[in-house]
Amino acid sequence: MMRQLGGSFGIVAITTFISNQNSIHRENIAQHLDANSFDVQQRVAALKASFMAKSFSPDVALQSAYKLLDLNVLKQASVLSYMDVFLYLGLLFLVCIPFVLFVKERKGREPIDLGDAMH
């Protein structure tokens, strides 16, 4: 039961961390997207043109271009969030390695036969 609870709390903590980091990264990326930037205008124009080539009306194509740009920002924020989680989990495991090395094996106990333990 403790293993299940520990796993559940770990998953909740990681999911909460990912969600928080996702909003932070999304906000940071969105701050760097300036509507007056030439690159952003070119990207929106190219997306709009590709939607218009698929027989969208100009106003729907523009809205679809903005939605796709927002989806790209969300994707990049998610990737950065998962990178943060893996980094912090890796650091946590590195910190735990010395503690594992200090655990001593108890002598004088009989080894447990896993075949008997399963039945």
Side-chain angles (χ1 to χ4, degrees):
M1 184 175 90
M2 293 303 292
R3 183 179 60 128
Q4 290 291 338
L5 283 174
S8 297
F9 283 118
I11 289 171
V12 166
I14 289 172
T15 304
T16 303
F17 184 75
I18 287 174
S19 176
N20 290 338
Q21 288 298 105
N22 199 8
S23 17
I24 290 170
H25 286 301
R26 183 182 170 103
E27 183 179 324
N28 287 339
I29 292 171
Q31 285 178 356
H32 288 90
L33 286 178
D34 183 19
N36 298 325
S37 168
F38 179 72
D39 293 331
V40 173
Q41 289 177 355
Q42 288 289 9
R43 178 73 174 162
V44 171
L47 289 172
K48 180 181 174 184
S50 71
F51 282 118
M52 288 178 65
K54 296 176 183 170
S55 68
F56 282 72
S57 66
D59 57 336
V60 174
L62 183 62
Q63 290 302 320
S64 298
Y66 284 132
K67 285 180 184 176
L68 191 57
L69 188 64
D70 184 52
L71 181 66
N72 286 336
V73 168
L74 180 63
K75 262 198 276 189
Q76 290 299 318
S78 297
V79 168
L80 291 171
S81 300
Y82 278 99
M83 286 174 51
D84 289 345
V85 166
F86 282 116
L87 174 71
Y88 291 133
L89 285 176
L91 291 174
L92 179 69
F93 284 127
L94 285 175
V95 167
C96 289
I97 287 175
F99 296 111
V100 172
L101 296 175
F102 288 123
V103 174
K104 294 183 181 179
E105 183 179 335
R106 293 185 184 174
K107 296 182 181 176
R109 287 185 145 189
E110 290 183 23
I112 298 174
D113 183 16
L114 293 178
D116 293 337
M118 297 293 265
H119 298 284

